Amino acid sequence: NAGVTQTPKFRILKIGQSMTLQCTQDMNHNYMYWYRQDPGMGLKLIYYSVGAGITDKGEVPNGYNVSRSTTEDFPLRLELAAPSQTSVYFCASRAGLAGPYTDTQYFGPGTRLTVL
Amino acid sequence: DAKTTQPPSMDCAEGRAANLPCNHSTISGNEYVYWYRQIHSQGPQYIIHGLKNNETNEMASLIITEDRKSSTLILPHATLRDTAVYYCIVRPNTGTASKLTFGTGTRLQVTL
């Protein structure tokens, strides 16, 4: 299994441009998450999904959109990039079944985004 | 979710045990203690979790005090590759979409 993969690894955007960060998992996990991490800070949840067709906002959803058309994919869309969105973005997934051993989140390698 | 307190940084000599403390004095009865780590520029990695019993796996041991108000993550023989930020997270394991709340963690530096 590749686990959680993210593309691209790096991206530079100009203010006002848009882009989609891709996230794919091959573990057949129900739950998927998008986090952002600013320098020296912990991770903050942007959006999450409990299954195909179901998404919900996290702590910092403004400026982002998501969709979940399949179990495997959970893309994050930035419509009008702003310098405040300069960050490292991590996608994660977990099985979501009841029980402590299925509650572990598996993270992708991250996408480093700079908005100038 | 219960709040956690960790020291901002710690040093450890290679080959020695690294003991990382975490205070979670407001933990509830149904909340688990999770530990993740983040090696520089990588995504966080799950290490271990527990409810009230001590736990051990191939990566680490988790010691939870009897009153569950604090815990210690133990890396028995730290190596340079264990240099990372370690996050202690307390949350209920309900099988719902409950997300992880990351604080700023403890930056562990393993030195020769």
Side-chain angles (χ1 to χ4, degrees):
Chain A
N1 287 351
V4 180
T5 57
Q6 293 182 239
T7 57
K9 287 188 170 58
F10 304 93
R11 184 72 185 268
I12 298 175
L13 284 181
K14 294 182 179 179
I15 295 172
Q17 286 186 319
S18 61
M19 76 164 294
T20 299
L21 283 67
Q22 302 291 346
C23 175
T24 300
Q25 53 93 8
D26 62 359
M27 297 174 281
N28 201 32
H29 283 172
N30 294 320
Y31 294 91
M32 296 186 74
Y33 305 81
W34 273 106
Y35 294 87
R36 60 175 286 174
Q37 186 175 33
D38 299 332
M41 306 296 288
L43 279 72
K44 293 185 178 179
L45 183 66
I46 306 172
Y47 269 96
Y48 67 96
S49 169
V50 303
I54 307 170
T55 62
D56 207 348
K57 296 178 180 178
E59 304 170 70
V60 290
N62 292 343
Y64 308 94
N65 279 300
V66 293
S67 60
R68 184 96 181 270
S69 58
T70 66
T71 299
E72 296 78 21
D73 300 307
F74 189 40
L76 177 71
R77 178 86 179 157
L78 282 71
E79 291 294 347
L80 291 170
S84 61
Q85 293 178 305
T86 294
S87 191
V88 181
Y89 292 84
F90 292 102
C91 179
S93 73
R94 73 177 176 97
L97 301 174
Y101 294 97
T102 58
D103 211 37
T104 303
Q105 288 196 18
Y106 298 86
F107 286 80
T111 294
R112 189 175 297 274
L113 176 66
T114 302
V115 181
L116 301 174
Chain B
D1 295 353
K3 183 177 177 180
T4 62
T5 303
Q6 299 178 252
S9 64
M10 294 182 65
D11 292 329
C12 179
E14 189 176 33
R16 304 297 292 269
N19 297 290
L20 291 89
C22 180
N23 182 288
H24 32 79
S25 57
T26 59
I27 192 170
S28 300
N30 68 338
E31 289 183 314
Y32 285 73
V33 180
Y34 283 80
W35 283 84
Y36 282 75
R37 73 179 182 184
Q38 188 174 23
I39 296 170
H40 181 63
S41 298
Q42 298 181 21
Q45 175 191 26
Y46 165 81
I47 301 173
I48 198 167
H49 74 276
L51 182 63
K52 51 185 176 182
N53 297 323
N54 297 338
E55 301 287 345
T56 296
N57 62 19
E58 65 278 5
M59 291 182 67
S61 295
L62 174 61
I63 308 298
I64 302 174
T65 58
E66 193 169 340
D67 63 7
R68 302 209 322 121
K69 294 185 177 182
S70 66
S71 61
T72 301
L73 178 73
I74 301 172
L75 308 178
H77 305 286
T79 70
L80 296 177
R81 288 176 295 181
D82 293 320
T83 293
V85 178
Y86 288 77
Y87 297 97
C88 170
I89 299 167
V90 174
R91 55 179 292 274
N93 183 8
T94 63
T96 67
S98 49
K99 62 272 186 188
L100 298 173
T101 300
F102 288 82
T104 51
T106 295
R107 184 172 299 275
L108 175 69
Q109 180 69 52
V110 181
T111 57
L112 292 172

